[in-house]
Amino acid sequence: MENKQTLGSAISNFEQQFKRFQDSGNNPPEFLLPKKRAAAAIAQRAPSGKGTSGKKIVLETYRQLLAPEQSFGEFSAIAQQLEDDKKLLVQAYDLFVAMVDVNRQLGDEATYISDFIITSPLTQRERYTVGKDFVFLQFWLQWEAKRTDYVPVLRLARDLPGWQLIFIPSGNFSWTDGEQAVVQLLEEEFYKNKVLVADGVAAGDGSEVEE
């Protein structure tokens, strides 16, 4: 019997893709990372207990993302790239959500968008692909940009060299142990009295994200 893919299954296809990504073990070995990134990766796996320096690395990295100009200077190329990266991620998120909405509104069982992969310069940044810094952008997107319905994920492209950016429904996403330790540390340090809500304005904070 022929199996016909429905619109609903097309929309949820990226969830299955993410499951395959998790099962494939695509995390690069630490000896392939630049020394500073390898140190940060190790610190992120256990940023508590004796890892005092690891905590400092995690907190300082996120502070740099929050206020790049204060950390690197107003005319710093690094500061500009971090600001650009935040805007690129928000743009990619909004584009993805728009595609899902269009698919639901205009698609049917015969005609629909079957792939939700976003092309973005973020997939060219080694600090996010072979490095471990993407967790900070993922976290920033939730708390500062207030985009919480989906979580961005970088994965190795299938059948092609390079990386791809996809989005996973937040209910189907799980942090790795190392990422969870980073997330908990950042929540305690920067958002202790705040609660994440659905896309919109975070509880306890009426500010809008600047784009």
Side-chain angles (χ1 to χ4, degrees):
M1 179 182 294
E2 180 182 4
N3 277 329
K4 294 185 177 180
Q5 188 180 38
T6 65
L7 174 60
S9 64
I11 293 175
S12 64
N13 183 52
F14 53 87
E15 299 176 32
Q16 299 171 8
Q17 293 173 345
F18 178 63
K19 178 67 165 54
R20 288 194 294 269
F21 168 74
Q22 285 184 313
D23 294 341
S24 66
N26 282 322
N27 292 327
E30 281 151 14
F31 65 81
L32 292 179
L33 305 180
K35 290 183 178 180
K36 290 184 179 179
R37 292 292 159 229
I42 294 170
Q44 288 175 21
R45 286 194 178 89
S48 58
K50 296 182 179 179
T52 303
S53 60
K55 287 184 178 181
K56 290 181 179 179
I57 292 174
V58 169
L59 297 179
E60 181 60 24
T61 300
Y62 191 62
R63 288 192 184 98
Q64 291 170 355
L65 184 63
L66 285 176
E69 290 186 357
Q70 293 182 16
S71 299
F72 299 104
E74 183 178 358
F75 302 105
S76 167
I78 297 177
Q80 185 59 57
Q81 180 175 309
L82 289 176
E83 291 292 356
D84 289 345
D85 289 350
K86 291 188 291 186
K87 293 177 182 178
L88 286 169
L89 189 59
V90 170
Q91 180 185 18
Y93 182 98
D94 291 346
L95 178 59
F96 173 81
V97 171
M99 287 194 301
V100 172
D101 289 343
V102 167
N103 218 24
R104 287 172 175 163
Q105 293 171 16
L106 303 180
D108 57 29
E109 292 187 1
T111 304
Y112 50 82
I113 301 171
S114 62
D115 208 339
F116 295 84
I117 296 170
I118 305 294
T119 299
S120 171
L122 293 172
T123 61
Q124 306 298 319
R125 309 270 203 262
E126 288 188 358
R127 66 184 299 160
Y128 304 133
T129 56
V130 297
K132 298 291 185 178
D133 280 4
F134 197 61
V135 63
F136 297 99
L137 267 182
Q138 293 170 307
F139 185 81
W140 175 89
L141 185 71
Q142 293 179 339
W143 285 99
E144 294 294 326
K146 302 177 177 63
R147 269 66 169 183
T148 59
D149 287 350
Y150 300 93
V151 181
V153 173
L154 288 172
R155 70 176 185 187
L156 285 171
R158 297 192 304 272
D159 303 324
L160 292 171
W163 294 74
Q164 294 174 331
L165 176 64
I166 62 172
F167 288 86
I168 308 299
S170 56
N172 296 85
F173 176 81
S174 297
W175 301 104
T176 66
D177 290 343
E179 291 169 345
Q180 185 61 46
V182 171
V183 166
Q184 290 177 350
L185 178 59
L186 296 179
E187 287 178 348
E188 292 173 2
E189 179 71 17
F190 296 96
Y191 306 101
K192 188 173 183 179
N193 297 317
K194 297 182 181 180
V195 178
L196 275 180
V197 294
D199 281 14
V201 179
D205 183 8
S207 62
E208 297 290 336
V209 63
E210 295 182 3
E211 299 178 24

